[in-house]
Short mmCIF file of all heavy atoms in Angstrom, two decimals:
data_model
loop_
_atom_site.label_atom_id
_atom_site.label_comp_id
_atom_site.label_asym_id
_atom_site.label_seq_id
_atom_site.Cartn_x
_atom_site.Cartn_y
_atom_site.Cartn_z
N MET A 206 -18.63 29.31 1.16
CA MET A 206 -18.87 30.65 0.61
C MET A 206 -18.63 31.72 1.67
O MET A 206 -19.28 31.77 2.68
CB MET A 206 -20.32 30.75 0.14
CG MET A 206 -20.53 30.06 -1.18
SD MET A 206 -21.14 31.13 -2.49
CE MET A 206 -22.47 32.04 -1.71
N GLY A 207 -17.70 32.57 1.38
CA GLY A 207 -17.45 33.68 2.29
C GLY A 207 -17.83 34.97 1.63
O GLY A 207 -18.37 34.99 0.53
N LYS A 208 -17.54 36.04 2.32
CA LYS A 208 -17.81 37.33 1.68
C LYS A 208 -16.48 37.96 1.29
O LYS A 208 -15.45 37.72 1.91
CB LYS A 208 -18.61 38.23 2.60
CG LYS A 208 -18.04 38.37 4.00
CD LYS A 208 -19.00 39.16 4.86
CE LYS A 208 -18.38 39.39 6.24
NZ LYS A 208 -19.21 40.19 7.11
N ILE A 209 -16.55 38.76 0.26
CA ILE A 209 -15.34 39.41 -0.21
C ILE A 209 -15.55 40.93 -0.22
O ILE A 209 -16.67 41.41 -0.26
CB ILE A 209 -14.93 38.93 -1.62
CG1 ILE A 209 -16.04 39.16 -2.64
CG2 ILE A 209 -14.51 37.48 -1.62
CD1 ILE A 209 -15.61 38.96 -4.08
N VAL A 210 -14.45 41.63 -0.18
CA VAL A 210 -14.49 43.10 -0.17
C VAL A 210 -14.36 43.60 -1.60
O VAL A 210 -13.49 43.13 -2.34
CB VAL A 210 -13.32 43.68 0.64
CG1 VAL A 210 -13.44 45.18 0.77
CG2 VAL A 210 -13.24 43.04 2.00
N VAL A 211 -15.22 44.50 -1.98
CA VAL A 211 -15.10 45.09 -3.31
C VAL A 211 -15.18 46.61 -3.23
O VAL A 211 -15.78 47.17 -2.32
CB VAL A 211 -16.19 44.59 -4.30
CG1 VAL A 211 -15.99 43.15 -4.65
CG2 VAL A 211 -17.58 44.81 -3.73
N ILE A 212 -14.53 47.25 -4.19
CA ILE A 212 -14.61 48.71 -4.31
C ILE A 212 -15.30 49.02 -5.63
O ILE A 212 -14.96 48.43 -6.67
CB ILE A 212 -13.20 49.33 -4.32
CG1 ILE A 212 -12.56 49.20 -2.94
CG2 ILE A 212 -13.25 50.81 -4.74
CD1 ILE A 212 -11.13 49.72 -2.88
N ASP A 213 -16.26 49.92 -5.58
CA ASP A 213 -16.84 50.41 -6.83
C ASP A 213 -15.90 51.47 -7.38
O ASP A 213 -15.87 52.62 -6.91
CB ASP A 213 -18.24 51.00 -6.55
CG ASP A 213 -18.89 51.50 -7.83
OD1 ASP A 213 -18.18 51.68 -8.84
OD2 ASP A 213 -20.11 51.72 -7.81
N GLU A 214 -15.10 51.06 -8.34
CA GLU A 214 -14.03 51.95 -8.81
C GLU A 214 -14.56 53.19 -9.53
O GLU A 214 -13.86 54.20 -9.61
CB GLU A 214 -13.06 51.18 -9.71
CG GLU A 214 -12.21 50.24 -8.88
CD GLU A 214 -11.30 49.37 -9.72
OE1 GLU A 214 -11.08 49.70 -10.90
OE2 GLU A 214 -10.83 48.34 -9.18
N ASP A 215 -15.76 53.11 -10.04
CA ASP A 215 -16.33 54.29 -10.69
C ASP A 215 -16.57 55.40 -9.67
O ASP A 215 -16.52 56.58 -10.00
CB ASP A 215 -17.66 53.95 -11.37
CG ASP A 215 -17.44 53.08 -12.59
OD1 ASP A 215 -16.31 53.09 -13.12
OD2 ASP A 215 -18.38 52.39 -13.01
N GLU A 216 -16.86 54.98 -8.46
CA GLU A 216 -17.19 55.96 -7.41
C GLU A 216 -15.97 56.44 -6.65
O GLU A 216 -15.95 57.52 -6.09
CB GLU A 216 -18.18 55.34 -6.41
CG GLU A 216 -19.53 54.99 -6.99
CD GLU A 216 -20.31 56.23 -7.42
OE1 GLU A 216 -20.18 57.26 -6.75
OE2 GLU A 216 -21.02 56.15 -8.43
N CYS A 217 -14.93 55.61 -6.59
CA CYS A 217 -13.76 55.91 -5.77
C CYS A 217 -13.10 57.22 -6.22
O CYS A 217 -12.84 57.43 -7.40
CB CYS A 217 -12.76 54.76 -5.87
SG CYS A 217 -11.19 55.09 -5.04
N THR A 218 -12.82 58.07 -5.24
CA THR A 218 -12.19 59.36 -5.55
C THR A 218 -10.68 59.31 -5.34
O THR A 218 -9.99 60.31 -5.54
CB THR A 218 -12.75 60.47 -4.65
OG1 THR A 218 -12.45 60.15 -3.28
CG2 THR A 218 -14.25 60.62 -4.82
N GLY A 219 -10.18 58.17 -4.89
CA GLY A 219 -8.74 58.05 -4.67
C GLY A 219 -8.25 58.82 -3.46
O GLY A 219 -7.11 59.28 -3.43
N CYS A 220 -9.10 58.95 -2.45
CA CYS A 220 -8.71 59.73 -1.27
C CYS A 220 -7.69 59.02 -0.40
O CYS A 220 -7.07 59.61 0.46
CB CYS A 220 -9.95 60.07 -0.45
SG CYS A 220 -10.58 58.66 0.49
N GLU A 221 -7.57 57.72 -0.60
CA GLU A 221 -6.58 56.88 0.11
C GLU A 221 -6.90 56.65 1.59
O GLU A 221 -6.06 56.13 2.32
CB GLU A 221 -5.16 57.47 -0.01
CG GLU A 221 -4.60 57.34 -1.41
CD GLU A 221 -3.11 57.69 -1.47
OE1 GLU A 221 -2.31 56.94 -0.89
OE2 GLU A 221 -2.77 58.70 -2.12
N SER A 222 -8.05 57.02 2.01
CA SER A 222 -8.42 56.81 3.40
C SER A 222 -8.41 55.32 3.75
O SER A 222 -7.85 54.91 4.77
CB SER A 222 -9.80 57.42 3.62
OG SER A 222 -10.23 57.21 4.89
N CYS A 223 -8.98 54.51 2.88
CA CYS A 223 -9.03 53.06 3.15
C CYS A 223 -7.62 52.46 3.15
O CYS A 223 -7.33 51.56 3.93
CB CYS A 223 -9.90 52.36 2.11
SG CYS A 223 -9.37 52.60 0.41
N VAL A 224 -6.76 52.99 2.30
CA VAL A 224 -5.39 52.48 2.20
C VAL A 224 -4.62 52.77 3.49
O VAL A 224 -3.88 51.93 4.01
CB VAL A 224 -4.66 53.10 0.99
CG1 VAL A 224 -3.25 52.57 0.86
CG2 VAL A 224 -5.44 52.87 -0.30
N GLU A 225 -4.86 53.96 4.01
CA GLU A 225 -4.19 54.34 5.26
C GLU A 225 -4.68 53.51 6.43
O GLU A 225 -3.91 53.09 7.28
CB GLU A 225 -4.44 55.82 5.56
CG GLU A 225 -3.46 56.72 4.84
CD GLU A 225 -3.86 58.17 4.91
OE1 GLU A 225 -4.50 58.57 5.90
OE2 GLU A 225 -3.54 58.90 3.96
N LEU A 226 -5.98 53.26 6.45
CA LEU A 226 -6.56 52.54 7.58
C LEU A 226 -6.28 51.05 7.53
O LEU A 226 -6.15 50.39 8.55
CB LEU A 226 -8.08 52.74 7.61
CG LEU A 226 -8.56 54.07 8.16
CD1 LEU A 226 -10.01 54.27 7.78
CD2 LEU A 226 -8.39 54.09 9.67
N CYS A 227 -6.20 50.51 6.35
CA CYS A 227 -6.18 49.06 6.22
C CYS A 227 -5.29 48.64 5.04
O CYS A 227 -5.77 48.08 4.05
CB CYS A 227 -7.63 48.62 6.00
SG CYS A 227 -7.97 46.99 6.55
N PRO A 228 -3.99 48.91 5.16
CA PRO A 228 -3.09 48.65 4.03
C PRO A 228 -2.93 47.17 3.67
O PRO A 228 -2.47 46.85 2.57
CB PRO A 228 -1.75 49.24 4.50
CG PRO A 228 -1.85 49.36 5.98
CD PRO A 228 -3.30 49.50 6.31
N GLU A 229 -3.35 46.30 4.58
CA GLU A 229 -3.30 44.86 4.28
C GLU A 229 -4.29 44.49 3.18
O GLU A 229 -4.10 43.52 2.46
CB GLU A 229 -3.75 44.09 5.53
CG GLU A 229 -2.66 43.37 6.23
CD GLU A 229 -3.22 42.72 7.48
OE1 GLU A 229 -4.18 41.93 7.35
OE2 GLU A 229 -2.71 43.03 8.55
N VAL A 230 -5.36 45.25 3.10
CA VAL A 230 -6.47 44.87 2.22
C VAL A 230 -6.59 45.80 1.01
O VAL A 230 -6.92 45.37 -0.08
CB VAL A 230 -7.80 44.86 3.02
CG1 VAL A 230 -8.98 44.56 2.12
CG2 VAL A 230 -7.72 43.85 4.16
N PHE A 231 -6.28 47.09 1.23
CA PHE A 231 -6.43 48.07 0.16
C PHE A 231 -5.08 48.63 -0.26
O PHE A 231 -4.21 48.84 0.58
CB PHE A 231 -7.33 49.23 0.62
CG PHE A 231 -8.67 48.77 1.12
CD1 PHE A 231 -8.93 48.70 2.48
CD2 PHE A 231 -9.67 48.40 0.24
CE1 PHE A 231 -10.16 48.27 2.96
CE2 PHE A 231 -10.90 47.98 0.69
CZ PHE A 231 -11.15 47.91 2.06
N GLU A 232 -4.95 48.87 -1.54
CA GLU A 232 -3.71 49.45 -2.05
C GLU A 232 -4.08 50.56 -3.02
O GLU A 232 -5.11 50.50 -3.67
CB GLU A 232 -2.91 48.36 -2.77
CG GLU A 232 -1.48 48.76 -3.07
CD GLU A 232 -0.69 47.57 -3.62
OE1 GLU A 232 -0.77 47.33 -4.84
OE2 GLU A 232 -0.02 46.87 -2.83
N PHE A 233 -3.19 51.56 -3.10
CA PHE A 233 -3.47 52.65 -4.03
C PHE A 233 -2.86 52.33 -5.38
O PHE A 233 -1.67 52.03 -5.49
CB PHE A 233 -2.91 53.97 -3.47
CG PHE A 233 -3.36 55.16 -4.26
CD1 PHE A 233 -4.70 55.52 -4.31
CD2 PHE A 233 -2.45 55.93 -4.96
CE1 PHE A 233 -5.13 56.62 -5.05
CE2 PHE A 233 -2.87 57.04 -5.70
CZ PHE A 233 -4.21 57.38 -5.74
N ASP A 234 -3.68 52.39 -6.40
CA ASP A 234 -3.20 52.17 -7.77
C ASP A 234 -2.88 53.55 -8.34
O ASP A 234 -3.77 54.30 -8.71
CB ASP A 234 -4.31 51.47 -8.56
CG ASP A 234 -3.90 51.24 -10.02
OD1 ASP A 234 -2.94 51.88 -10.49
OD2 ASP A 234 -4.55 50.40 -10.67
N SER A 235 -1.60 53.86 -8.41
CA SER A 235 -1.23 55.23 -8.81
C SER A 235 -1.47 55.48 -10.29
O SER A 235 -1.58 56.63 -10.72
CB SER A 235 0.21 55.55 -8.41
OG SER A 235 1.06 54.51 -8.75
N ASP A 236 -1.57 54.45 -11.08
CA ASP A 236 -1.91 54.65 -12.50
C ASP A 236 -3.37 55.08 -12.64
O ASP A 236 -3.68 56.06 -13.30
CB ASP A 236 -1.69 53.37 -13.31
CG ASP A 236 -0.19 53.10 -13.49
OD1 ASP A 236 0.59 54.06 -13.41
OD2 ASP A 236 0.17 51.92 -13.68
N ALA A 237 -4.22 54.32 -11.97
CA ALA A 237 -5.66 54.62 -12.07
C ALA A 237 -6.07 55.73 -11.10
O ALA A 237 -7.16 56.28 -11.23
CB ALA A 237 -6.46 53.36 -11.78
N GLU A 238 -5.20 56.01 -10.13
CA GLU A 238 -5.51 56.97 -9.06
C GLU A 238 -6.76 56.57 -8.30
O GLU A 238 -7.61 57.40 -7.98
CB GLU A 238 -5.60 58.40 -9.60
CG GLU A 238 -4.26 58.85 -10.17
CD GLU A 238 -4.20 60.33 -10.50
OE1 GLU A 238 -5.25 60.92 -10.76
OE2 GLU A 238 -3.08 60.87 -10.48
N LYS A 239 -6.85 55.29 -8.05
CA LYS A 239 -7.96 54.74 -7.29
C LYS A 239 -7.43 53.66 -6.36
O LYS A 239 -6.33 53.14 -6.59
CB LYS A 239 -8.99 54.11 -8.22
CG LYS A 239 -9.77 55.14 -9.00
CD LYS A 239 -10.67 54.49 -10.02
CE LYS A 239 -11.29 55.50 -10.96
NZ LYS A 239 -12.16 56.47 -10.33
N ALA A 240 -8.23 53.34 -5.36
CA ALA A 240 -7.84 52.25 -4.48
C ALA A 240 -8.26 50.93 -5.09
O ALA A 240 -9.27 50.86 -5.80
CB ALA A 240 -8.49 52.43 -3.12
N ILE A 241 -7.49 49.89 -4.84
CA ILE A 241 -7.87 48.56 -5.27
C ILE A 241 -7.81 47.61 -4.08
O ILE A 241 -7.12 47.88 -3.10
CB ILE A 241 -6.97 48.02 -6.42
CG1 ILE A 241 -5.48 48.15 -6.03
CG2 ILE A 241 -7.23 48.74 -7.72
CD1 ILE A 241 -4.55 47.44 -6.98
N VAL A 242 -8.52 46.52 -4.19
CA VAL A 242 -8.52 45.51 -3.13
C VAL A 242 -7.45 44.49 -3.45
O VAL A 242 -7.46 43.87 -4.51
CB VAL A 242 -9.90 44.82 -3.03
CG1 VAL A 242 -9.88 43.75 -1.95
CG2 VAL A 242 -10.99 45.84 -2.74
N ILE A 243 -6.49 44.33 -2.55
CA ILE A 243 -5.44 43.36 -2.80
C ILE A 243 -5.67 42.06 -2.05
O ILE A 243 -5.01 41.07 -2.29
CB ILE A 243 -4.03 43.92 -2.46
CG1 ILE A 243 -4.01 44.53 -1.07
CG2 ILE A 243 -3.59 44.94 -3.51
CD1 ILE A 243 -2.61 44.93 -0.61
N LYS A 244 -6.62 42.11 -1.12
CA LYS A 244 -6.92 40.89 -0.35
C LYS A 244 -8.44 40.80 -0.20
O LYS A 244 -8.99 41.15 0.84
CB LYS A 244 -6.24 40.99 1.02
CG LYS A 244 -6.08 39.69 1.72
CD LYS A 244 -5.31 39.88 3.00
CE LYS A 244 -5.32 38.62 3.83
NZ LYS A 244 -4.91 38.90 5.20
N PRO A 245 -9.11 40.34 -1.27
CA PRO A 245 -10.58 40.38 -1.29
C PRO A 245 -11.24 39.55 -0.20
O PRO A 245 -12.36 39.86 0.21
CB PRO A 245 -10.95 39.82 -2.67
CG PRO A 245 -9.68 39.61 -3.40
CD PRO A 245 -8.54 39.77 -2.47
N GLU A 246 -10.57 38.50 0.23
CA GLU A 246 -11.20 37.67 1.26
C GLU A 246 -11.15 38.36 2.62
O GLU A 246 -11.64 37.85 3.61
CB GLU A 246 -10.56 36.28 1.32
CG GLU A 246 -9.14 36.23 1.84
CD GLU A 246 -8.08 36.56 0.79
OE1 GLU A 246 -8.40 37.21 -0.22
OE2 GLU A 246 -6.91 36.19 1.00
N GLY A 247 -10.56 39.54 2.65
CA GLY A 247 -10.64 40.33 3.86
C GLY A 247 -9.39 40.26 4.70
O GLY A 247 -8.31 40.43 4.19
N GLY A 248 -9.55 39.98 5.94
CA GLY A 248 -8.45 40.06 6.88
C GLY A 248 -9.07 40.59 8.14
O GLY A 248 -10.09 40.08 8.58
N ASP A 249 -8.50 41.62 8.67
CA ASP A 249 -9.03 42.22 9.88
C ASP A 249 -10.35 42.94 9.58
O ASP A 249 -10.37 44.01 9.00
CB ASP A 249 -7.99 43.20 10.43
CG ASP A 249 -8.43 43.81 11.76
OD1 ASP A 249 -9.61 43.67 12.11
OD2 ASP A 249 -7.58 44.40 12.42
N GLU A 250 -11.45 42.32 9.99
CA GLU A 250 -12.76 42.87 9.64
C GLU A 250 -12.99 44.23 10.26
O GLU A 250 -13.66 45.08 9.69
CB GLU A 250 -13.88 41.93 10.10
CG GLU A 250 -14.20 40.92 9.05
CD GLU A 250 -15.57 40.27 9.25
OE1 GLU A 250 -16.48 40.93 9.77
OE2 GLU A 250 -15.70 39.10 8.87
N GLU A 251 -12.41 44.42 11.44
CA GLU A 251 -12.61 45.68 12.12
C GLU A 251 -12.04 46.83 11.30
O GLU A 251 -12.65 47.87 11.15
CB GLU A 251 -11.94 45.64 13.48
CG GLU A 251 -12.78 46.24 14.58
CD GLU A 251 -12.18 45.95 15.93
OE1 GLU A 251 -12.40 44.84 16.45
OE2 GLU A 251 -11.47 46.83 16.44
N CYS A 252 -10.86 46.62 10.76
CA CYS A 252 -10.27 47.72 10.00
C CYS A 252 -10.96 47.88 8.66
O CYS A 252 -11.05 48.98 8.13
CB CYS A 252 -8.75 47.64 9.95
SG CYS A 252 -7.99 46.87 8.57
N ILE A 253 -11.52 46.81 8.13
CA ILE A 253 -12.29 46.94 6.89
C ILE A 253 -13.56 47.76 7.14
O ILE A 253 -13.91 48.65 6.37
CB ILE A 253 -12.63 45.56 6.31
CG1 ILE A 253 -11.34 44.86 5.87
CG2 ILE A 253 -13.58 45.68 5.13
CD1 ILE A 253 -11.50 43.40 5.56
N GLU A 254 -14.21 47.44 8.26
CA GLU A 254 -15.43 48.20 8.61
C GLU A 254 -15.09 49.68 8.81
O GLU A 254 -15.83 50.56 8.40
CB GLU A 254 -16.06 47.65 9.90
CG GLU A 254 -16.55 46.21 9.80
CD GLU A 254 -17.86 46.06 9.01
OE1 GLU A 254 -18.50 47.08 8.72
OE2 GLU A 254 -18.22 44.92 8.69
N GLU A 255 -13.96 49.91 9.43
CA GLU A 255 -13.52 51.29 9.65
C GLU A 255 -13.29 52.00 8.31
O GLU A 255 -13.66 53.15 8.12
CB GLU A 255 -12.20 51.28 10.41
CG GLU A 255 -12.24 51.98 11.74
CD GLU A 255 -10.91 51.89 12.45
OE1 GLU A 255 -10.05 52.73 12.18
OE2 GLU A 255 -10.73 50.93 13.24
N ALA A 256 -12.65 51.28 7.40
CA ALA A 256 -12.39 51.84 6.08
C ALA A 256 -13.72 52.15 5.37
O ALA A 256 -13.88 53.20 4.75
CB ALA A 256 -11.54 50.88 5.24
N MET A 257 -14.69 51.21 5.50
CA MET A 257 -16.00 51.44 4.88
C MET A 257 -16.65 52.68 5.44
O MET A 257 -17.20 53.50 4.71
CB MET A 257 -16.92 50.23 5.14
CG MET A 257 -16.57 49.04 4.30
SD MET A 257 -17.54 47.60 4.80
CE MET A 257 -17.06 46.46 3.52
N ASP A 258 -16.56 52.83 6.77
CA ASP A 258 -17.18 53.99 7.41
C ASP A 258 -16.48 55.28 7.02
O ASP A 258 -17.09 56.34 6.99
CB ASP A 258 -17.15 53.83 8.94
CG ASP A 258 -18.11 52.76 9.41
OD1 ASP A 258 -18.98 52.37 8.62
OD2 ASP A 258 -17.98 52.32 10.57
N SER A 259 -15.19 55.19 6.77
CA SER A 259 -14.43 56.42 6.51
C SER A 259 -14.47 56.82 5.03
O SER A 259 -14.09 57.93 4.68
CB SER A 259 -12.99 56.26 6.95
OG SER A 259 -12.29 55.51 5.98
N CYS A 260 -14.91 55.92 4.18
CA CYS A 260 -14.91 56.23 2.75
C CYS A 260 -15.92 57.35 2.46
O CYS A 260 -17.10 57.20 2.74
CB CYS A 260 -15.28 54.97 1.95
SG CYS A 260 -15.37 55.30 0.18
N PRO A 261 -15.45 58.47 1.91
CA PRO A 261 -16.35 59.62 1.73
C PRO A 261 -17.47 59.37 0.73
O PRO A 261 -18.50 60.05 0.78
CB PRO A 261 -15.41 60.73 1.24
CG PRO A 261 -14.21 60.03 0.70
CD PRO A 261 -14.08 58.75 1.47
N VAL A 262 -17.29 58.41 -0.17
CA VAL A 262 -18.34 58.15 -1.15
C VAL A 262 -19.00 56.78 -0.95
O VAL A 262 -19.77 56.32 -1.77
CB VAL A 262 -17.80 58.29 -2.60
CG1 VAL A 262 -17.46 59.74 -2.90
CG2 VAL A 262 -16.59 57.41 -2.84
N GLU A 263 -18.66 56.15 0.18
CA GLU A 263 -19.25 54.86 0.56
C GLU A 263 -19.25 53.85 -0.57
O GLU A 263 -20.28 53.27 -0.91
CB GLU A 263 -20.68 55.08 1.09
CG GLU A 263 -20.68 55.96 2.33
CD GLU A 263 -22.06 56.16 2.92
OE1 GLU A 263 -23.02 55.55 2.43
OE2 GLU A 263 -22.16 56.92 3.90
N CYS A 264 -18.08 53.65 -1.16
CA CYS A 264 -18.03 52.74 -2.31
C CYS A 264 -17.31 51.43 -1.99
O CYS A 264 -16.91 50.71 -2.90
CB CYS A 264 -17.41 53.44 -3.51
SG CYS A 264 -15.67 53.81 -3.32
N ILE A 265 -17.13 51.14 -0.70
CA ILE A 265 -16.56 49.84 -0.32
C ILE A 265 -17.69 48.96 0.20
O ILE A 265 -18.48 49.37 1.04
CB ILE A 265 -15.48 49.99 0.78
CG1 ILE A 265 -14.47 51.08 0.40
CG2 ILE A 265 -14.78 48.66 1.02
CD1 ILE A 265 -13.49 51.42 1.51
N PHE A 266 -17.77 47.76 -0.34
CA PHE A 266 -18.89 46.88 -0.02
C PHE A 266 -18.41 45.47 0.34
O PHE A 266 -17.35 45.04 -0.08
CB PHE A 266 -19.80 46.67 -1.24
CG PHE A 266 -20.35 47.92 -1.81
CD1 PHE A 266 -19.72 48.57 -2.86
CD2 PHE A 266 -21.53 48.46 -1.30
CE1 PHE A 266 -20.24 49.73 -3.40
CE2 PHE A 266 -22.05 49.62 -1.83
CZ PHE A 266 -21.41 50.26 -2.87
N TRP A 267 -19.25 44.76 1.05
CA TRP A 267 -19.14 43.31 1.17
C TRP A 267 -19.99 42.69 0.07
O TRP A 267 -21.08 43.16 -0.21
CB TRP A 267 -19.66 42.81 2.52
CG TRP A 267 -18.82 43.11 3.68
CD1 TRP A 267 -19.15 43.94 4.73
CD2 TRP A 267 -17.52 42.59 4.00
NE1 TRP A 267 -18.12 43.96 5.63
CE2 TRP A 267 -17.13 43.16 5.22
CE3 TRP A 267 -16.66 41.70 3.35
CZ2 TRP A 267 -15.89 42.85 5.82
CZ3 TRP A 267 -15.44 41.42 3.94
CH2 TRP A 267 -15.05 41.98 5.16
N LYS A 268 -19.46 41.64 -0.48
CA LYS A 268 -20.21 40.93 -1.52
C LYS A 268 -20.06 39.44 -1.22
O LYS A 268 -19.02 39.02 -0.73
CB LYS A 268 -19.55 41.25 -2.86
CG LYS A 268 -20.38 41.03 -4.07
CD LYS A 268 -19.60 41.45 -5.29
CE LYS A 268 -19.93 40.55 -6.44
NZ LYS A 268 -19.07 40.80 -7.60
N ASP A 269 -21.09 38.67 -1.50
CA ASP A 269 -20.97 37.23 -1.30
C ASP A 269 -19.97 36.67 -2.29
O ASP A 269 -20.09 36.88 -3.48
CB ASP A 269 -22.32 36.53 -1.49
CG ASP A 269 -23.26 36.87 -0.34
OD1 ASP A 269 -22.76 37.13 0.78
OD2 ASP A 269 -24.47 36.87 -0.55
N GLY A 270 -18.96 35.98 -1.78
CA GLY A 270 -17.91 35.50 -2.66
C GLY A 270 -18.14 34.06 -3.08
O GLY A 270 -19.01 33.39 -2.57
S1 SF4 B 115 -11.83 55.43 1.01
FE1 SF4 B 115 -13.26 55.14 -0.71
S2 SF4 B 115 -12.93 56.88 -2.08
FE2 SF4 B 115 -11.18 56.78 -0.68
S3 SF4 B 115 -9.65 55.58 -1.81
FE3 SF4 B 115 -10.80 54.15 -0.52
S4 SF4 B 115 -12.45 53.37 -1.81
FE4 SF4 B 115 -11.63 55.22 -2.79
#
């Protein structure tokens, strides 16, 4: 059991900050105008943490996978 990255899409404002910081894990969904997680199992944890810290609405979370 690992942890996975999730975005609360209801809260996401589509600012793209996480996408810029960590494009391996987050992608911008231009239809929904929100960010989505393309690599839920993570990757570079440091950049994920950075993305979490930079998210203006703090809607990126770790969840037990
Ligand atoms: S940083 Fe937060 S609000 Fe901005 S696109 Fe990513 S998840 Fe959405």
